[in-house]
C-alpha cells in the first residue's frame, strides 16, 4: 500500500499555533473509532507509551513515528515532523543579539575584538552602540560591512577588507588620545637623518615614538588581527595631523625599519590626505615592496625611500653586482659595518633581490621588545584604556 507523503511546512505566523502531536493522534483514534487500548494492541507497546503522547506529556520518538505511520498508513516521518514543528514552536526565542553577533562575525573577528578589549560582549543594543562608537558612525545600521547596513560605505565601495578596517579604526582611536605638537614637515625630514643613525643596534628603536612625536606625528602600534596581513598605515586625523600605525606582524629589525620609513615617506609626500583610510599597506613583504609598473605610484615612491633608507640603493646595487651569485657571510658583515648598519638590513635586501628568503636569516633579530615599552600600543596582552571605551 502506498503511504501518503505528508510534508509539514511552517511559517513564522504559524509558530505559536502548532499543537502537540498528541492532538492529531487523539483525532485519528476518534475518526477510526479506536480506543487507546486498541492502539496499544496494534502497536504492541506498553500502554504508558501511548497514554503519555495522547495526554501531551511525552514527545514522539523516531521509532514511535515509524510505528504510528504503519498503523495509520502515513509516511514514517509524519509524526516526527509534527513533533519537530511543535518543539520548534515551543522553544524560547533566541536573544536578539544572536543575529547581530552573526552579522558581525561574518566579516569581523568579533571574538578577538572582545578579547582585546576593543568592544565588550553584551546584548544587541549594547553591541550596536559599541560598534557604532568604534566605527565612528551614528548608529549600528551604518557600520561598514554589516548585512543590515542602511547603505554602502566608501570603505565597501573601495573594497577595503573589513578585518583591515577594524585594525585601522583601533589605530585611529588610540591616535586621537595622543597629544603631540603641531606637525612640522621640516622636523620630520630632519628626523629621518636622526633615525638613519640608529640602524646598527636593535635597541635604538625605542627612541622612535619620541622622535616622531616631537615632529607632530602620532605613532601607534596595534597587533594585527588574524588574516589581516596588514603591515602599516599612514593617515591624517585632519589636514595637518599625520598618524603612522604599525602592526609589527613580522618581528624583525629589517622589516620594522622598512615599514616605518615607508610610512614616513607617505606622510612627507602628503599621501592619503583627505582619505578616511589613508594609505593602508598590506603585505609589504611581497609584491607590494617592489617598484614595478603594477605597483601604484605612491607605493613606488614610498618603497624606494624605504629601501634607500635601510641600505643606500647605489651601495647595495654595487655590492650585489660585485658579489653575485656568491654572497659570503663575512662580506655581508663587513658591508654592514662599513655602512653603520645592522647585518639584517643588507641581508633583507639581498633576500629580496635573489628570492632566497632563508639566506642568513639568523641575523634578522626580533625588535618588538625594544619598540613596545616606549610606545602606546595595543596587543600582545596589553590594551590602552581610552575614554571612548564603554
Amino acid at each position: 500500500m502506498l503511504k501518503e507523503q505528508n510534508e509539514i511546512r511552517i511559517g513564522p505566523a504559524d509558530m505559536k499555533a502548532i499543537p502537540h502531536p498528541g492532538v492529531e493522534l487523539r483525532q485519528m483514534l476518534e475518526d477510526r473509532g479506536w480506543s487507546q487500548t486498541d492502539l496499544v494492541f496494534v502497536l504492541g507497546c506498553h500502554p504508558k507509551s501511548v497514554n503519555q503522547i495522547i495526554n501531551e506529556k511525552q514527545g514522539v520518538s523516531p521509532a514511535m513515528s515509524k510505528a504510528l505511520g504503519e498503523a495509520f498508513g502515513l509516511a514514517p516521518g509524519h509524526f516526527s515532523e509534527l513533533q519537530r514543528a511543535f518543539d520548534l514552536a515551543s522553544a524560547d526565542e533566541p536573544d536578539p543579539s544572536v543575529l547581530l553577533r552573526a552579522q558581525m562575525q561574518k566579516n569581523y573577528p568579533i571574538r578577538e575584538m572582545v578579547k582585546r578589549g576593543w568592544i565588550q560582549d553584551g546584548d544587541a543594543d549594547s553591541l550596536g552602540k559599541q560598534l557604532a562608537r568604534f566605527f565612528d558612525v551614528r548608529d549600528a545600521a551604518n557600520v561598514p560591512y554589516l548585512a543590515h547596513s542602511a547603505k554602502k560605505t566608501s570603505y565597501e565601495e573601495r573594497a577595503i577588507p573589513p578585518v583591515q578596517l577594524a585594525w585601522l579604526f583601533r589605530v585611529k582611536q588610540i591616535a586621537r588620545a595622543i597629544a603631540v605638537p603641531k606637525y612640522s614637515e621640516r622636523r620630520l625630514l630632519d628626523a629621518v637623518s636622526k633615525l638613519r643613525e640608529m640602524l646598527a643596534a636593535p635597541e635604538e628603536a625605542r627612541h622612535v615614538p619620541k622622535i616622531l612625536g616631537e615632529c607632530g606625528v602620532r605613532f601607534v602600534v596595534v597587533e594585527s588581527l588574524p588574516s589581516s596581513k596588514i603591515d602599516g598605515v599612514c593617515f591624517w586625523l585632519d589636514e595637518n595631523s599625520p598618524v603612522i600605525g604599525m602592526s609589527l606582524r613580522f618581528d624583525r629589525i629589517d622589516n620594522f625599519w622598512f615599514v616605518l620609513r615607508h610610512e614616513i615617506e607617505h606622510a612627507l609626500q602628503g599621501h592619503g590626505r583627505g582619505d578616511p583610510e589613508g594609505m593602508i599597506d598590506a603585505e609589504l613583504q611581497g609584491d607590494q615592496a617592489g617598484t614595478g609598473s603594477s605597483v601604484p605610484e605612491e607605493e613606488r615612491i614610498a618603497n624606494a625611500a624605504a629601501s634607500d633608507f635601510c641600505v643606500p640603493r647605489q651601495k647595495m646595487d654595487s655590492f650585489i653586482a660585485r658579489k653575485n651569485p656568491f654572497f659570503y657571510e663575512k662580506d655581508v658583515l663587513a658591508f654592514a659595518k662599513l655602512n653603520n648598519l645592522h647585518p639584517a638590513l643588507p641581508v633583507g635586501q639581498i633576500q629580496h633581490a635573489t628570492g632566497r628568503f632563508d639566506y642568513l636569516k639568523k641575523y634578522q633579530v626580533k625588535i618588538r621588545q625594544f619598540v613596545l615599552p616606549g610606545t602606546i600600543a595595543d596587543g600582545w596582552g596589553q590594551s590602552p584604556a581610552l575614554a571612548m571605551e564603554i
Side-chain angles (χ1 to χ4, degrees), residues 131-173:
L131 273 184
R133 183 176 298 184
F134 184 87
F135 286 104
D136 199 19
V137 293
R138 295 184 62 181
D139 53 60
N142 296 109
V143 172
Y145 292 100
L146 280 192
H148 65 288
S149 292
K151 61 183 178 180
K152 270 188 171 292
T153 68
S154 61
Y155 302 110
E156 293 169 83
E157 290 165 356
R158 279 179 266 187
I160 299 172
V163 68
Q164 292 184 9
L165 197 60
W167 182 88
L168 169 65
F169 269 86
R170 185 55 174 175
V171 174
K172 283 187 176 182
Q173 283 184 347

Side-chain angles (χ1 to χ4, degrees), residues 56-327:
E56 304 176 28
K57 295 181 179 179
Q58 181 176 302
V60 178
S61 68
M64 178 60 80
S65 178
K66 286 185 175 182
L68 290 173
E70 288 289 333
F72 292 101
L74 300 171
H78 178 79
F79 278 92
S80 286
E81 284 296 306
L82 290 177
Q83 186 65 52
R84 182 193 67 80
F86 174 77
D87 289 342
L88 189 61
S90 303
D92 294 335
E93 291 298 318
D95 188 303
S97 62
V98 171
L99 176 59
L100 182 58
R101 282 197 190 93
Q103 290 168 332
M104 292 161 60
Q105 192 63 40
K106 181 179 179 182
N107 289 302
Y108 295 109
I110 297 302
R111 289 192 301 109
E112 183 70 15
M113 292 171 71
V114 170
K115 177 183 175 183
R116 302 259 299 263
W118 298 5
I119 59 174
Q120 297 176 12
D121 199 0
D123 59 25
D125 184 59
S126 173
L127 284 171
K129 288 179 179 177
Q130 289 184 80
L131 273 184
R133 183 176 298 184
F134 184 87
F135 286 104
D136 199 19
V137 293
R138 295 184 62 181
D139 53 60
N142 296 109
V143 172
Y145 292 100
L146 280 192
H148 65 288
S149 292
K151 61 183 178 180
K152 270 188 171 292
T153 68
S154 61
Y155 302 110
E156 293 169 83
E157 290 165 356
R158 279 179 266 187
I160 299 172
V163 68
Q164 292 184 9
L165 197 60
W167 182 88
L168 169 65
F169 269 86
R170 185 55 174 175
V171 174
K172 283 187 176 182
Q173 283 184 347
I174 297 172
R176 290 192 184 106
I178 300 175
V180 295
K182 184 178 179 181
Y183 169 62
S184 168
E185 182 179 320
R186 180 188 58 78
R187 286 202 301 269
L188 184 56
L189 277 169
D190 291 342
V192 171
S193 298
K194 188 181 297 185
L195 292 172
R196 181 66 179 73
E197 297 171 0
M198 301 177 178
L199 300 186
E203 58 270 21
E204 290 298 297
R206 70 186 187 276
H207 300 297
V208 167
K210 183 175 184 293
I211 291 173
L212 293 182
E214 290 171 347
C215 302
V217 178
R218 293 168 170 85
F219 178 70
V220 179
V221 173
V222 174
E223 181 182 2
S224 61
L225 291 165
S227 76
S228 66
K229 297 181 179 179
I230 198 165
D231 294 301
V233 67
C234 172
F235 62 89
W236 302 73
L237 291 180
D238 57 46
E239 283 297 305
N240 202 37
S241 299
V243 176
I244 289 177
M246 291 179 63
S247 69
L248 303 187
R249 72 185 183 105
F250 293 111
D251 186 11
R252 301 196 321 260
I253 183 174
D254 57 315
N255 183 263
F256 170 79
W257 287 114
F258 183 91
V259 174
L260 178 66
R261 182 61 182 89
H262 181 103
E263 305 307 336
I264 288 175
E265 188 63 21
H266 279 320
L268 288 171
Q269 297 289 335
H271 294 161
R273 246 188 190 126
D275 286 345
E277 77 279 7
M279 305 299 296
I280 295 177
D281 292 303
E283 298 193 86
L284 279 180
Q285 198 69 13
D287 294 339
Q288 289 302 311
T291 56
S293 59
S294 63
V295 179
E297 176 65 17
E298 292 163 321
E299 296 303 324
R300 288 204 302 273
I301 292 171
N303 286 337
S307 179
D308 193 58
F309 172 81
C310 291
V311 186
R313 185 75 268 156
Q314 188 175 358
K315 293 181 179 180
M316 191 74 251
D317 288 346
S318 174
F319 179 83
I320 290 175
R322 286 184 289 107
K323 302 297 181 178
N324 192 36
F326 302 108
F327 299 100

Side-chain angles (χ1 to χ4, degrees), residues 336-355:
K337 185 175 181 179
L338 179 64
N339 290 280
N340 192 36
L341 300 171
H342 189 279
L345 277 75
V347 164
Q349 297 283 344
I350 294 169
Q351 287 179 346
H352 185 73
T354 62

